[in-house]
Amino acid sequence: MQFADRLNNVETSAIRELFKLLGKPGIISFAGGFPDSAMFDVDGIREASNQALAEEPGAALQYGATEGYNPLREQLAAFMGSKGAQAVAADNLIVTTGSQQALDLLGKTLISPGDKVIVEGPTFLATIQCFRLYGAELISAPVDGEGVQTDALEKLIAEHHPKFVYLIPTFGNPSGALLNLERRKKVLEMAARYQTLIVEDDPYGDLYFGEAPPPSLLALSAQVPGSRDLLVHCGSLSKVLSPGLRVGWLIAPAELLAKATMCKQFSDAHTSTFAQATAAQYLKAGRMPATLAKVRAVYAERAQAMGDALRKELGDAIEFVQPQGGLFVWARLTGARGQVADGNVLAKKAIEQGVAFVPGTPFFCAHPDHATLRLSFATADVDKIREGVARLGQAVRA
């Protein structure tokens, strides 16, 4: 078959390929990037879906507007307002089939072949694949424990004049990094100064442990004149409520939102109205705060257990920043005392020891750091985390 040339720019996900190796009995997996299904508020979702069918069965089961089911758009605007983004109205957002579709719509509406796009190094693997599919030339901005390094980012913006900059400021995937308040303001100031569009992807911002993170770029944009019109915000209920609902949203300037709506119309007509009506009823019922409190407590305990176990079992063979939220520990092998220093090599050794993780290499669009790895603590309980990290220690020493 003669396939489209654009497919030459992408390859299948390294993570999907890794999952093919996980059929071994008794394996402990730190590879997945998904929430623990035991955390889902099944009773609350069941009640919400029943309510959706009781109140507006026709609307819940019928075709709907491409922009989204209006009661949900109103609930999402209120949800964003509760997190400091006070100026968001229902008309400022469209509902997407997960935030993944929001990224695809940005690719369709903004990227022409050869356009430059700055992303973090490392960044969300699906973003790299999605933007490359539309022909983007990706440029990597370095990240440390406090998020993207803004001095380096400014130099890259000034040099390359990108179509846009894509960031995950709050507990990024895979880095787990939290962009500090000072850097957030600098990013917004850069947007205004260089007239550069900033895309803020925020699927993990509600999963904080202890102190709440700084306000989102969207919420802070009110403090930086001229930045709001150069800001896109992608949100999702996948990590906090249920990935299966496939409910995300895109907040963007009106002109971009209109183009994205048009492209979504060609793609899927609209996100499932039944899923939207269920999510709207769930948010309306006020159950989200209690659900978030529960998942934060569980993930915080697991994150701490993983950090403690890594320090105990691997010692100076590994370095990482203890996550303050999200689902991941991003770590780097040091090669101390001649031990393994390549995440790809360690991944194979780890499978032999009965534990799995994702090597860090695929998360870089350029200049990959092969010593890195991503470990998810979300789906394993504390005992499994301790056992899995013990097996990882054996693999490092093997």
Side-chain angles (χ1 to χ4, degrees):
M1 291 187 187
Q2 295 295 313
F3 293 107
D5 290 344
R6 73 176 68 90
L7 294 181
N8 297 333
N9 298 324
V10 293
E11 55 189 32
T12 186
S13 166
I15 297 176
R16 299 285 178 196
E17 292 300 306
L18 179 68
F19 274 93
K20 296 177 183 178
L21 304 174
L22 301 187
K24 184 178 172 183
I27 201 156
I28 295 173
S29 177
F30 300 141
F34 37 79
D36 188 346
S37 57
M39 297 291 102
F40 300 156
D41 181 8
V42 177
D43 290 340
I45 294 172
R46 181 186 296 115
E47 186 178 306
S49 63
N50 288 339
Q51 197 68 25
L53 291 172
E55 284 191 15
E56 286 194 290
L61 299 175
Q62 184 56 276
Y63 285 114
T66 303
E67 291 86 348
Y69 180 62
N70 211 52
L72 177 59
R73 295 171 80 196
E74 290 172 353
Q75 288 293 331
L76 291 174
F79 183 55
M80 294 303 300
S82 73
K83 298 191 288 182
Q86 303 290 349
V88 176
D91 288 345
N92 300 140
L93 65 88
I94 62 170
V95 179
T96 58
T97 304
S99 61
Q100 182 73 50
Q101 187 185 45
L103 300 178
D104 184 64
L105 292 173
L106 291 172
K108 282 179 178 171
T109 54
L110 294 174
I111 298 173
S112 297
D115 281 347
K116 294 181 178 181
V117 175
I118 296 176
V119 301
E120 293 165 304
T123 193
F124 182 38
L125 177 56
T127 301
I128 295 174
Q129 295 170 312
C130 175
F131 294 167
R132 278 191 175 147
L133 185 65
Y134 293 109
E137 178 187 338
L138 298 182
I139 296 157
S140 182
V143 169
D144 59 27
E146 293 192 89
V148 68
Q149 296 175 15
T150 46
D151 289 347
L153 176 62
E154 182 163 13
K155 289 177 183 174
L156 290 171
I157 291 173
E159 179 184 352
H160 294 286
H161 307 288
K163 201 66 170 287
F164 61 89
V165 175
Y166 169 83
L167 303 173
I168 314 175
T170 311
F171 315 128
N173 176 5
S175 72
L178 177 61
L179 192 66
N180 65 37
L181 182 60
E182 180 185 1
R183 290 188 186 183
R184 286 173 192 246
K185 289 180 178 176
K186 282 184 178 178
V187 167
L188 292 170
E189 288 164 1
M190 279 182 237
R193 185 181 312 123
Y194 294 96
Q195 291 295 289
T196 298
L197 190 70
I198 305 291
V199 175
E200 176 182 37
D201 197 4
D202 189 29
Y204 307 99
D206 291 306
L207 296 178
Y208 55 84
F209 313 145
E211 186 178 345
S216 66
L217 296 179
L218 183 66
L220 284 172
S221 63
Q223 300 178 25
V224 182
S227 64
R228 177 63 189 272
D229 292 336
L230 292 159
L231 188 62
V232 173
H233 182 97
C234 305
S236 174
L237 294 182
S238 291
K239 303 303 186 291
V240 296
L241 184 57
S242 159
L245 284 174
R246 305 308 301 133
V247 170
W249 59 96
L250 175 66
I251 300 170
E255 187 179 10
L256 174 53
L257 211 59
K259 296 291 188 186
T261 302
M262 179 180 69
C263 288
K264 179 174 169 60
Q265 195 171 32
F266 305 154
S267 176
D268 68 354
H270 60 82
T271 298
S272 162
T273 45
F274 182 58
Q276 291 186 72
T278 298
Q281 290 290 345
Y282 191 91
L283 291 170
K284 181 181 174 183
R287 296 181 69 115
M288 186 63 85
T291 295
L292 286 172
K294 177 184 175 184
V295 299
R296 285 170 187 152
V298 171
Y299 292 153
E301 181 185 28
R302 293 176 182 179
Q304 190 61 53
M306 180 168 278
D308 291 345
L310 287 169
R311 283 182 281 268
K312 176 186 173 189
E313 300 288 348
L314 280 78
D316 63 358
I318 200 167
E319 56 188 18
F320 63 95
V321 174
Q322 182 68 34
Q324 300 172 56
L327 303 179
F328 307 109
V329 170
W330 178 250
R332 189 174 190 282
L333 299 168
T334 65
R337 300 184 308 285
Q339 296 176 100
V340 62
D342 187 314
N344 301 286
V345 173
L346 180 60
K348 294 172 184 173
K349 289 175 173 277
I351 290 283
E352 293 170 5
Q353 296 292 338
V355 62
F357 64 86
V358 183
T361 302
F363 297 103
F364 294 87
C365 72
H367 317 299
D369 183 348
H370 299 294
T372 54
L373 55 144
R374 189 192 76 177
L375 303 160
S376 174
F377 47 79
T379 56
D381 62 27
V382 169
D383 289 339
K384 275 215 171 105
I385 286 171
R386 288 172 179 154
E387 172 61 25
V389 174
R391 294 180 187 181
L392 189 62
Q394 291 168 1
V396 166
R397 294 185 290 273

